[in-house]
PDB file of all heavy atoms in Angstrom:
ATOM      1  N   ASP N  66     102.501  91.369  85.265  1.00 96.00           N
ATOM      2  CA  ASP N  66     102.817  91.217  86.803  1.00 96.00           C
ATOM      3  C   ASP N  66     101.759  90.617  87.564  1.00 96.00           C
ATOM      4  O   ASP N  66     102.016  89.798  88.466  1.00 96.00           O
ATOM      5  CB  ASP N  66     103.120  92.646  87.259  1.00 96.00           C
ATOM      6  CG  ASP N  66     103.489  92.665  88.708  1.00 96.00           C
ATOM      7  OD1 ASP N  66     104.559  92.075  89.123  1.00 96.00           O
ATOM      8  OD2 ASP N  66     102.791  93.310  89.555  1.00 96.00           O
ATOM      9  N   ALA N  67     100.399  90.884  87.208  1.00 97.00           N
ATOM     10  CA  ALA N  67      99.270  90.412  88.016  1.00 97.00           C
ATOM     11  C   ALA N  67      99.247  88.918  87.933  1.00 97.00           C
ATOM     12  O   ALA N  67      98.916  88.297  88.933  1.00 97.00           O
ATOM     13  CB  ALA N  67      98.030  91.033  87.431  1.00 97.00           C
ATOM     14  N   ASP N  68      99.591  88.291  86.865  1.00 93.00           N
ATOM     15  CA  ASP N  68      99.459  86.827  86.664  1.00 93.00           C
ATOM     16  C   ASP N  68     100.410  86.156  87.668  1.00 93.00           C
ATOM     17  O   ASP N  68     100.115  85.014  87.936  1.00 93.00           O
ATOM     18  CB  ASP N  68      99.795  86.438  85.220  1.00 93.00           C
ATOM     19  CG  ASP N  68      98.690  86.745  84.250  1.00 93.00           C
ATOM     20  OD1 ASP N  68      97.426  86.937  84.793  1.00 93.00           O
ATOM     21  OD2 ASP N  68      98.865  87.003  83.085  1.00 93.00           O
ATOM     22  N   THR N  69     101.605  86.713  88.045  1.00 94.00           N
ATOM     23  CA  THR N  69     102.561  86.068  88.817  1.00 94.00           C
ATOM     24  C   THR N  69     102.515  86.499  90.325  1.00 94.00           C
ATOM     25  O   THR N  69     103.308  85.942  91.132  1.00 94.00           O
ATOM     26  CB  THR N  69     103.978  86.190  88.263  1.00 94.00           C
ATOM     27  OG1 THR N  69     104.271  87.599  88.250  1.00 94.00           O
ATOM     28  CG2 THR N  69     104.043  85.574  86.867  1.00 94.00           C
ATOM     29  N   ALA N  70     101.814  87.535  90.645  1.00 96.00           N
ATOM     30  CA  ALA N  70     101.907  88.076  92.024  1.00 96.00           C
ATOM     31  C   ALA N  70     101.278  87.145  92.997  1.00 96.00           C
ATOM     32  O   ALA N  70     100.308  86.542  92.863  1.00 96.00           O
ATOM     33  CB  ALA N  70     101.104  89.396  92.115  1.00 96.00           C
ATOM     34  N   LYS N  71     102.100  86.955  94.056  1.00 97.00           N
ATOM     35  CA  LYS N  71     101.686  86.074  95.208  1.00 97.00           C
ATOM     36  C   LYS N  71     101.628  86.912  96.558  1.00 97.00           C
ATOM     37  O   LYS N  71     102.375  87.965  96.662  1.00 97.00           O
ATOM     38  CB  LYS N  71     102.721  84.969  95.402  1.00 97.00           C
ATOM     39  CG  LYS N  71     102.865  84.083  94.158  1.00 97.00           C
ATOM     40  CD  LYS N  71     101.676  83.246  93.984  1.00 97.00           C
ATOM     41  CE  LYS N  71     101.791  82.364  92.713  1.00 97.00           C
ATOM     42  NZ  LYS N  71     100.722  82.397  91.752  1.00 97.00           N
ATOM     43  N   TRP N  72     100.923  86.341  97.470  1.00 98.00           N
ATOM     44  CA  TRP N  72     100.884  86.942  98.831  1.00 98.00           C
ATOM     45  C   TRP N  72     102.336  87.203  99.306  1.00 98.00           C
ATOM     46  O   TRP N  72     103.087  86.297  99.208  1.00 98.00           O
ATOM     47  CB  TRP N  72     100.214  86.026  99.778  1.00 98.00           C
ATOM     48  CG  TRP N  72      98.821  86.138 100.052  1.00 98.00           C
ATOM     49  CD1 TRP N  72      97.877  85.112  99.627  1.00 98.00           C
ATOM     50  CD2 TRP N  72      98.027  87.153 100.771  1.00 98.00           C
ATOM     51  NE1 TRP N  72      96.574  85.589 100.142  1.00 98.00           N
ATOM     52  CE2 TRP N  72      96.723  86.827 100.773  1.00 98.00           C
ATOM     53  CE3 TRP N  72      98.409  88.346 101.385  1.00 98.00           C
ATOM     54  CZ2 TRP N  72      95.792  87.550 101.429  1.00 98.00           C
ATOM     55  CZ3 TRP N  72      97.534  89.104 102.082  1.00 98.00           C
ATOM     56  CH2 TRP N  72      96.199  88.680 102.073  1.00 98.00           C
ATOM     57  N   LEU N  73     102.525  88.267  99.982  1.00 98.00           N
ATOM     58  CA  LEU N  73     103.810  88.431 100.766  1.00 98.00           C
ATOM     59  C   LEU N  73     103.414  87.925 102.104  1.00 98.00           C
ATOM     60  O   LEU N  73     102.325  88.187 102.691  1.00 98.00           O
ATOM     61  CB  LEU N  73     104.170  89.989 100.832  1.00 98.00           C
ATOM     62  CG  LEU N  73     104.704  90.538  99.521  1.00 98.00           C
ATOM     63  CD1 LEU N  73     104.811  92.047  99.633  1.00 98.00           C
ATOM     64  CD2 LEU N  73     106.062  89.992  99.272  1.00 98.00           C
ATOM     65  N   PRO N  74     104.350  87.164 102.788  1.00 97.00           N
ATOM     66  CA  PRO N  74     104.089  86.576 104.068  1.00 97.00           C
ATOM     67  C   PRO N  74     103.599  87.703 105.042  1.00 97.00           C
ATOM     68  O   PRO N  74     102.633  87.471 105.790  1.00 97.00           O
ATOM     69  CB  PRO N  74     105.378  85.894 104.497  1.00 97.00           C
ATOM     70  CG  PRO N  74     106.061  85.568 103.224  1.00 97.00           C
ATOM     71  CD  PRO N  74     105.635  86.729 102.235  1.00 97.00           C
ATOM     72  N   LEU N  75     104.248  88.775 105.086  1.00 97.00           N
ATOM     73  CA  LEU N  75     103.980  89.840 106.116  1.00 97.00           C
ATOM     74  C   LEU N  75     102.659  90.441 105.639  1.00 97.00           C
ATOM     75  O   LEU N  75     101.755  90.845 106.599  1.00 97.00           O
ATOM     76  CB  LEU N  75     104.979  90.997 106.105  1.00 97.00           C
ATOM     77  CG  LEU N  75     104.624  92.208 107.122  1.00 97.00           C
ATOM     78  CD1 LEU N  75     104.583  91.671 108.494  1.00 97.00           C
ATOM     79  CD2 LEU N  75     105.770  93.299 106.957  1.00 97.00           C
ATOM     80  N   GLY N  76     102.268  90.611 104.407  1.00 97.00           N
ATOM     81  CA  GLY N  76     100.945  91.050 104.053  1.00 97.00           C
ATOM     82  C   GLY N  76      99.833  90.237 104.482  1.00 97.00           C
ATOM     83  O   GLY N  76      98.825  90.643 105.090  1.00 97.00           O
ATOM     84  N   ARG N  77      99.935  88.902 104.315  1.00 98.00           N
ATOM     85  CA  ARG N  77      98.986  87.972 104.792  1.00 98.00           C
ATOM     86  C   ARG N  77      98.882  87.959 106.327  1.00 98.00           C
ATOM     87  O   ARG N  77      97.670  87.992 106.825  1.00 98.00           O
ATOM     88  CB  ARG N  77      99.359  86.393 104.293  1.00 98.00           C
ATOM     89  CG  ARG N  77      98.299  85.432 104.774  1.00 98.00           C
ATOM     90  CD  ARG N  77      98.628  84.144 104.309  1.00 98.00           C
ATOM     91  NE  ARG N  77      98.027  84.080 102.872  1.00 98.00           N
ATOM     92  CZ  ARG N  77      98.142  83.002 102.147  1.00 98.00           C
ATOM     93  NH1 ARG N  77      98.812  81.963 102.477  1.00 98.00           N
ATOM     94  NH2 ARG N  77      97.513  83.020 101.028  1.00 98.00           N
ATOM     95  N   GLU N  78      99.875  88.119 107.038  1.00 97.00           N
ATOM     96  CA  GLU N  78      99.932  88.148 108.484  1.00 97.00           C
ATOM     97  C   GLU N  78      99.166  89.402 108.928  1.00 97.00           C
ATOM     98  O   GLU N  78      98.394  89.327 109.886  1.00 97.00           O
ATOM     99  CB  GLU N  78     101.406  88.135 109.005  1.00 97.00           C
ATOM    100  CG  GLU N  78     101.404  88.114 110.440  1.00 97.00           C
ATOM    101  CD  GLU N  78     102.962  88.124 110.911  1.00 97.00           C
ATOM    102  OE1 GLU N  78     103.746  87.548 110.314  1.00 97.00           O
ATOM    103  OE2 GLU N  78     103.274  88.819 112.022  1.00 97.00           O
ATOM    104  N   MET N  79      99.395  90.562 108.328  1.00 96.00           N
ATOM    105  CA  MET N  79      98.722  91.745 108.658  1.00 96.00           C
ATOM    106  C   MET N  79      97.221  91.649 108.442  1.00 96.00           C
ATOM    107  O   MET N  79      96.497  92.073 109.327  1.00 96.00           O
ATOM    108  CB  MET N  79      99.273  93.013 107.913  1.00 96.00           C
ATOM    109  CG  MET N  79     100.707  93.336 108.240  1.00 96.00           C
ATOM    110  SD  MET N  79     101.244  94.916 107.439  1.00 96.00           S
ATOM    111  CE  MET N  79     101.290  94.310 105.719  1.00 96.00           C
ATOM    112  N   VAL N  80      96.850  91.113 107.329  1.00 98.00           N
ATOM    113  CA  VAL N  80      95.448  91.075 107.019  1.00 98.00           C
ATOM    114  C   VAL N  80      94.743  90.006 108.041  1.00 98.00           C
ATOM    115  O   VAL N  80      93.589  90.345 108.574  1.00 98.00           O
ATOM    116  CB  VAL N  80      95.178  90.486 105.608  1.00 98.00           C
ATOM    117  CG1 VAL N  80      93.724  90.076 105.304  1.00 98.00           C
ATOM    118  CG2 VAL N  80      95.567  91.612 104.561  1.00 98.00           C
ATOM    119  N   GLU N  81      95.351  88.904 108.316  1.00 97.00           N
ATOM    120  CA  GLU N  81      94.868  88.060 109.252  1.00 97.00           C
ATOM    121  C   GLU N  81      94.681  88.664 110.623  1.00 97.00           C
ATOM    122  O   GLU N  81      93.725  88.461 111.389  1.00 97.00           O
ATOM    123  CB  GLU N  81      95.749  86.761 109.406  1.00 97.00           C
ATOM    124  CG  GLU N  81      95.556  85.954 108.127  1.00 97.00           C
ATOM    125  CD  GLU N  81      96.567  84.684 108.029  1.00 97.00           C
ATOM    126  OE1 GLU N  81      97.544  84.654 108.959  1.00 97.00           O
ATOM    127  OE2 GLU N  81      96.422  83.948 107.090  1.00 97.00           O
ATOM    128  N   ASN N  82      95.728  89.550 110.974  1.00 94.00           N
ATOM    129  CA  ASN N  82      95.680  90.289 112.298  1.00 94.00           C
ATOM    130  C   ASN N  82      94.496  91.162 112.411  1.00 94.00           C
ATOM    131  O   ASN N  82      93.726  91.208 113.389  1.00 94.00           O
ATOM    132  CB  ASN N  82      96.984  90.899 112.529  1.00 94.00           C
ATOM    133  CG  ASN N  82      97.085  91.555 113.830  1.00 94.00           C
ATOM    134  OD1 ASN N  82      96.400  91.217 114.760  1.00 94.00           O
ATOM    135  ND2 ASN N  82      98.101  92.415 114.079  1.00 94.00           N
ATOM    136  N   ILE N  83      94.235  91.855 111.301  1.00 96.00           N
ATOM    137  CA  ILE N  83      93.157  92.927 111.283  1.00 96.00           C
ATOM    138  C   ILE N  83      91.809  92.160 111.240  1.00 96.00           C
ATOM    139  O   ILE N  83      90.858  92.584 111.951  1.00 96.00           O
ATOM    140  CB  ILE N  83      93.320  93.775 109.959  1.00 96.00           C
ATOM    141  CG1 ILE N  83      94.632  94.558 109.942  1.00 96.00           C
ATOM    142  CG2 ILE N  83      92.080  94.782 109.914  1.00 96.00           C
ATOM    143  CD1 ILE N  83      94.869  95.329 111.233  1.00 96.00           C
ATOM    144  N   LEU N  84      91.827  90.992 110.582  1.00 96.00           N
ATOM    145  CA  LEU N  84      90.486  90.209 110.627  1.00 96.00           C
ATOM    146  C   LEU N  84      90.198  89.775 112.037  1.00 96.00           C
ATOM    147  O   LEU N  84      89.025  89.768 112.437  1.00 96.00           O
ATOM    148  CB  LEU N  84      90.622  88.956 109.705  1.00 96.00           C
ATOM    149  CG  LEU N  84      90.550  89.144 108.195  1.00 96.00           C
ATOM    150  CD1 LEU N  84      90.994  87.852 107.489  1.00 96.00           C
ATOM    151  CD2 LEU N  84      89.172  89.572 107.873  1.00 96.00           C
ATOM    152  N   GLN N  85      91.171  89.307 112.881  1.00 95.00           N
ATOM    153  CA  GLN N  85      91.061  88.876 114.229  1.00 95.00           C
ATOM    154  C   GLN N  85      90.516  90.140 114.979  1.00 95.00           C
ATOM    155  O   GLN N  85      89.713  89.943 115.941  1.00 95.00           O
ATOM    156  CB  GLN N  85      92.323  88.353 114.757  1.00 95.00           C
ATOM    157  CG  GLN N  85      92.658  87.088 114.294  1.00 95.00           C
ATOM    158  CD  GLN N  85      94.066  86.539 114.764  1.00 95.00           C
ATOM    159  OE1 GLN N  85      94.682  87.351 115.590  1.00 95.00           O
ATOM    160  NE2 GLN N  85      94.422  85.396 114.434  1.00 95.00           N
ATOM    161  N   HIS N  86      91.004  91.284 114.703  1.00 93.00           N
ATOM    162  CA  HIS N  86      90.402  92.543 115.413  1.00 93.00           C
ATOM    163  C   HIS N  86      89.060  93.007 114.923  1.00 93.00           C
ATOM    164  O   HIS N  86      88.583  93.944 115.343  1.00 93.00           O
ATOM    165  CB  HIS N  86      91.484  93.635 115.393  1.00 93.00           C
ATOM    166  CG  HIS N  86      92.656  93.410 116.308  1.00 93.00           C
ATOM    167  ND1 HIS N  86      93.709  92.716 115.894  1.00 93.00           N
ATOM    168  CD2 HIS N  86      92.903  93.888 117.523  1.00 93.00           C
ATOM    169  CE1 HIS N  86      94.602  92.628 116.778  1.00 93.00           C
ATOM    170  NE2 HIS N  86      94.128  93.343 117.864  1.00 93.00           N
ATOM    171  N   GLN N  87      88.565  92.388 113.863  1.00 95.00           N
ATOM    172  CA  GLN N  87      87.286  92.684 113.294  1.00 95.00           C
ATOM    173  C   GLN N  87      87.253  94.154 112.859  1.00 95.00           C
ATOM    174  O   GLN N  87      86.116  94.820 113.042  1.00 95.00           O
ATOM    175  CB  GLN N  87      86.175  92.265 114.208  1.00 95.00           C
ATOM    176  CG  GLN N  87      86.134  90.825 114.428  1.00 95.00           C
ATOM    177  CD  GLN N  87      85.050  90.349 115.303  1.00 95.00           C
ATOM    178  OE1 GLN N  87      84.543  91.127 116.221  1.00 95.00           O
ATOM    179  NE2 GLN N  87      84.538  89.140 115.017  1.00 95.00           N
ATOM    180  N   LEU N  88      88.270  94.742 112.300  1.00 96.00           N
ATOM    181  CA  LEU N  88      88.224  96.148 111.828  1.00 96.00           C
ATOM    182  C   LEU N  88      87.996  96.034 110.373  1.00 96.00           C
ATOM    183  O   LEU N  88      88.374  95.167 109.548  1.00 96.00           O
ATOM    184  CB  LEU N  88      89.600  96.787 112.079  1.00 96.00           C
ATOM    185  CG  LEU N  88      90.119  96.868 113.563  1.00 96.00           C
ATOM    186  CD1 LEU N  88      91.343  97.459 113.539  1.00 96.00           C
ATOM    187  CD2 LEU N  88      89.024  97.790 114.250  1.00 96.00           C
ATOM    188  N   PRO N  89      87.321  97.090 109.849  1.00 98.00           N
ATOM    189  CA  PRO N  89      87.066  97.207 108.435  1.00 98.00           C
ATOM    190  C   PRO N  89      88.505  97.364 107.640  1.00 98.00           C
ATOM    191  O   PRO N  89      89.478  97.956 108.256  1.00 98.00           O
ATOM    192  CB  PRO N  89      86.307  98.386 108.168  1.00 98.00           C
ATOM    193  CG  PRO N  89      86.458  99.244 109.452  1.00 98.00           C
ATOM    194  CD  PRO N  89      86.772  98.341 110.475  1.00 98.00           C
ATOM    195  N   MET N  90      88.638  96.798 106.531  1.00 98.00           N
ATOM    196  CA  MET N  90      89.801  96.857 105.679  1.00 98.00           C
ATOM    197  C   MET N  90      89.538  97.386 104.203  1.00 98.00           C
ATOM    198  O   MET N  90      88.429  97.073 103.796  1.00 98.00           O
ATOM    199  CB  MET N  90      90.518  95.563 105.558  1.00 98.00           C
ATOM    200  CG  MET N  90      91.138  95.048 106.845  1.00 98.00           C
ATOM    201  SD  MET N  90      92.152  93.600 106.650  1.00 98.00           S
ATOM    202  CE  MET N  90      90.678  92.382 106.473  1.00 98.00           C
ATOM    203  N   ALA N  91      90.505  98.035 103.667  1.00 98.00           N
ATOM    204  CA  ALA N  91      90.359  98.481 102.233  1.00 98.00           C
ATOM    205  C   ALA N  91      91.657  98.402 101.687  1.00 98.00           C
ATOM    206  O   ALA N  91      92.758  98.284 102.370  1.00 98.00           O
ATOM    207  CB  ALA N  91      89.733  99.851 102.144  1.00 98.00           C
ATOM    208  N   ILE N  92      91.708  98.665 100.328  1.00 98.00           N
ATOM    209  CA  ILE N  92      92.970  98.659  99.556  1.00 98.00           C
ATOM    210  C   ILE N  92      92.785 100.085  98.665  1.00 98.00           C
ATOM    211  O   ILE N  92      91.828 100.218  98.056  1.00 98.00           O
ATOM    212  CB  ILE N  92      93.236  97.520  98.703  1.00 98.00           C
ATOM    213  CG1 ILE N  92      93.419  96.275  99.551  1.00 98.00           C
ATOM    214  CG2 ILE N  92      94.371  97.697  97.686  1.00 98.00           C
ATOM    215  CD1 ILE N  92      93.433  94.927  98.716  1.00 98.00           C
ATOM    216  N   VAL N  93      93.984 100.767  98.774  1.00 98.00           N
ATOM    217  CA  VAL N  93      94.160 101.816  97.760  1.00 98.00           C
ATOM    218  C   VAL N  93      95.417 101.597  97.020  1.00 98.00           C
ATOM    219  O   VAL N  93      96.532 101.460  97.616  1.00 98.00           O
ATOM    220  CB  VAL N  93      94.214 103.291  98.524  1.00 98.00           C
ATOM    221  CG1 VAL N  93      94.630 104.427  97.550  1.00 98.00           C
ATOM    222  CG2 VAL N  93      92.799 103.559  99.152  1.00 98.00           C
ATOM    223  N   THR N  94      95.301 101.574  95.701  1.00 98.00           N
ATOM    224  CA  THR N  94      96.482 101.257  94.847  1.00 98.00           C
ATOM    225  C   THR N  94      96.526 102.100  93.621  1.00 98.00           C
ATOM    226  O   THR N  94      95.503 102.568  93.117  1.00 98.00           O
ATOM    227  CB  THR N  94      96.423  99.774  94.379  1.00 98.00           C
ATOM    228  OG1 THR N  94      97.487  99.512  93.590  1.00 98.00           O
ATOM    229  CG2 THR N  94      95.040  99.368  93.695  1.00 98.00           C
ATOM    230  N   ARG N  95      97.745 102.415  93.179  1.00 97.00           N
ATOM    231  CA  ARG N  95      98.044 103.110  91.898  1.00 97.00           C
ATOM    232  C   ARG N  95      97.848 102.242  90.724  1.00 97.00           C
ATOM    233  O   ARG N  95      97.823 102.629  89.614  1.00 97.00           O
ATOM    234  CB  ARG N  95      99.362 103.748  91.907  1.00 97.00           C
ATOM    235  CG  ARG N  95      99.428 105.003  92.881  1.00 97.00           C
ATOM    236  CD  ARG N  95     100.967 105.453  92.932  1.00 97.00           C
ATOM    237  NE  ARG N  95     101.617 105.640  91.777  1.00 97.00           N
ATOM    238  CZ  ARG N  95     101.787 106.913  91.292  1.00 97.00           C
ATOM    239  NH1 ARG N  95     101.358 107.975  91.792  1.00 97.00           N
ATOM    240  NH2 ARG N  95     102.440 107.043  90.087  1.00 97.00           N
ATOM    241  N   ASN N  96      97.635 100.928  90.947  1.00 96.00           N
ATOM    242  CA  ASN N  96      97.447  99.955  89.980  1.00 96.00           C
ATOM    243  C   ASN N  96      96.094 100.137  89.218  1.00 96.00           C
ATOM    244  O   ASN N  96      95.181 100.788  89.702  1.00 96.00           O
ATOM    245  CB  ASN N  96      97.398  98.469  90.554  1.00 96.00           C
ATOM    246  CG  ASN N  96      98.332  97.562  89.920  1.00 96.00           C
ATOM    247  OD1 ASN N  96      98.571  97.607  88.537  1.00 96.00           O
ATOM    248  ND2 ASN N  96      99.046  96.731  90.599  1.00 96.00           N
TER     249      ASN N  96
END
Side-chain angles (χ1 to χ4, degrees):
D66 180 62
D68 288 334
T69 61
K71 301 290 182 225
W72 268 111
L73 289 168
L75 180 59
R77 179 175 276 180
E78 183 181 325
M79 288 185 296
V80 168
E81 289 171 355
N82 188 12
I83 301 306
L84 284 170
Q85 288 176 357
H86 284 86
Q87 298 181 329
L88 297 177
M90 289 185 287
I92 293 172
V93 169
T94 179
R95 287 172 52 101
N96 229 322

